[in-house]
């Protein structure tokens, strides 16, 4: 089980968005002893900012590796996008209540793992939350509180138990008409894992795939030092509070400060409690540390729904998973194996 005991956090802070390895994006850092260099590229993929970092012998190799990662992330986007009407995911949604849809084994397996996480989190995480996006839109179009009736009707379509998988035929069937699945809470993590796996296969010894604060890092910097991940103030993203070393690890943050709506002076975040149909409350940000970004992504979202107490107790029961949660009063709560020095936290 990994430990984060010795990490030094310096400032008294409001956490957190994680951004990998500095805002040094256009620089190339070289190391004379090993010849290896760091190459970085920032671009928009899956509707989000991606920062790619790879270690390579030269610019040409670095470019080749980054192109591979980009192609892989683009491929995944096509598979899981709910916006692309031709994606397999859209086909599943279109055929809700009508017929099973045959999909690639990769998508089938992803859905199967998502259902496992739903079971693990007792329904806090649920890819079938997506029918709620007819009620809760975060594009500025929702001006008043949706009616209780509308929420009730919409939440009736939510429920991972009604996602039926047929392993023999490789089909997915959403039992209820109007049901929908979406990968907003797991897709970026999955893409980061897959891009990393592909680069490893191509012999890339070290790098970071950072999907807007959902990142997976492997190897070390050319000089043998660990990669450092910056913890920044969500109110001022240029301000780095602290650096944290990561080695072969995913770090994923979900926050309520980017996608939300204000109704009657209250903030409603984009993470919905699938059991009530209302946006979750009480958590400002949740950061998960574990081996893979897909699981970390799903768990960070789940913590919002579970709330602080249940969320941290839940993480404490999982081997190899740690968390830092910031609640609505800016209190920082950590799982058992995280010690933050110099700031007031509660460990449970
Ligand atoms: P971010 O990285 O944007 O902070 P998350 O990884 O937590 O966010 O994903 C939030 C997205 O997940 C929402 O925008 C929505 O698409 C989807 N979502 C919302 N509620 C749930 C839920 N309970 N289970 C699964 N997915 C959800
Ligand atoms: Mg998530």
């Amino acid at each position: 089980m990994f430990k984060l005991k010795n990490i030094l956090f310096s400032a008294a802070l409001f956490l957190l968005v994680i951004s990998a390895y500095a805002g040094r994006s256009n620089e190339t850092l070289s190391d004379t002893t090993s010849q290896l260099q760091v190459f970085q590229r920032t671009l928009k993929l899956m509707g989000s900012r991606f920062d790619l970092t790879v270690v390579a012998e030269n610019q040409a190799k670095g470019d080749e590796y980054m192109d591979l990662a980009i192609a892989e992330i683009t491929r995944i986007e096509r598979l899981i996008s709910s916006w692309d009407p031709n994606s397999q995911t859209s086909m599943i949604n279109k055929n809700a209540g009508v017929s099973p849809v045959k999909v690639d084994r990769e998508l089938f397996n992803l859905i199967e793992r998502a259902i496992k996480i739903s079971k693990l989190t007792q329904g806090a995480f649920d890819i079938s939350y997506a029918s709620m996006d007819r009620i809760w839109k975060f594009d500025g179009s929702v001006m008043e509180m949706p009616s209780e009736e509308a929420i009730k009707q919409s939440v009736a379509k939510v429920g991972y138990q009604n996602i039926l998988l047929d392993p023999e035929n490789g089909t997915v069937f959403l039992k209820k008409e109007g049901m929908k699945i979406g990968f907003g809470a797991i897709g970026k993590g999955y893409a980061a894992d897959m891009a990393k796996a592909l680069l490893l296969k191509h012999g890339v010894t070290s790098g970071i795939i950072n999907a807007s604060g959902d990142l997976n890092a492997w190897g070390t910097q050319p000089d043998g030092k660990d990669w450092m991940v910056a913890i920044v103030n969500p109110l001022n993203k240029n301000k780095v509070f602290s650096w944290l070393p990561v080695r072969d690890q995913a770090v994923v943050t979900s926050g309520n400060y980017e996608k939300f709506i204000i109704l009657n002076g209250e903030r409603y975040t984009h993470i919905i409690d699938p059991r009530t149909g209302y946006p979750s409350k009480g958590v400002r940000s949740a950061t998960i540390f574990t081996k893979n970004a897909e699981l970390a992504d799903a768990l960070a979202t789940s913590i919002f729904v579970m709330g602080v107490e249940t969320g941290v107790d839940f993480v404490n029961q999982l081997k190899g998973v740690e968390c830092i949660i910031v609640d609505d009063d800016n209190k920082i709560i950590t799982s058992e194996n995280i010690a933050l020095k110099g700031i007031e936290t509660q460990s449970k």
Side-chain angles (χ1 to χ4, degrees), residues 21 24 27-31 36-40 221-222 227:
Y21 196 60
R24 306 172 194 168
E27 264 174 63
T28 297
L29 310 172
S30 63
D31 177 69
L36 289 170
Q37 294 177 299
V38 177
F39 298 95
Q40 300 189 305
Q221 299 184 51
W227 293 115

Side-chain angles (χ1 to χ4, degrees), residues 124-126 129 184-185 188 253-255 259 270-272 274 297 301 305:
F125 176 85
D126 192 334
Y129 85 90
K188 280 186 280 160
T253 299
S254 277
K259 257 168 115 184
H270 64 313
I271 296 172
I272 314 288
D297 198 355
T301 306
V305 176

Side-chain angles (χ1 to χ4, degrees), residues 236-269:
N236 177 2
K237 300 224 177 92
N238 298 318
K239 207 163 172 192
V240 173
F241 279 118
S242 187
W243 293 88
L244 142 79
V246 286
R247 184 178 286 207
D248 296 322
Q249 191 161 76
V251 184
V252 170
T253 299
S254 277
N256 77 354
Y257 33 78
E258 271 177 354
K259 257 168 115 184
F260 60 86
I261 43 180
I262 307 256
L263 297 172
N264 309 325
E266 264 205 74
R267 180 192 288 247
Y268 292 88
T269 180

Side-chain angles (χ1 to χ4, degrees), residues 57 80 83 87 124 158 177 189 203 237 251 324 344:
E57 307 81 83
I80 68 175
W83 288 277
S87 74
V158 179
E177 204 194 323
K237 300 224 177 92
V251 184
I324 304 173
E344 217 176 285

Side-chain angles (χ1 to χ4, degrees), residues 63 140 299 320 328:
D63 282 341
L299 294 182
D328 272 349

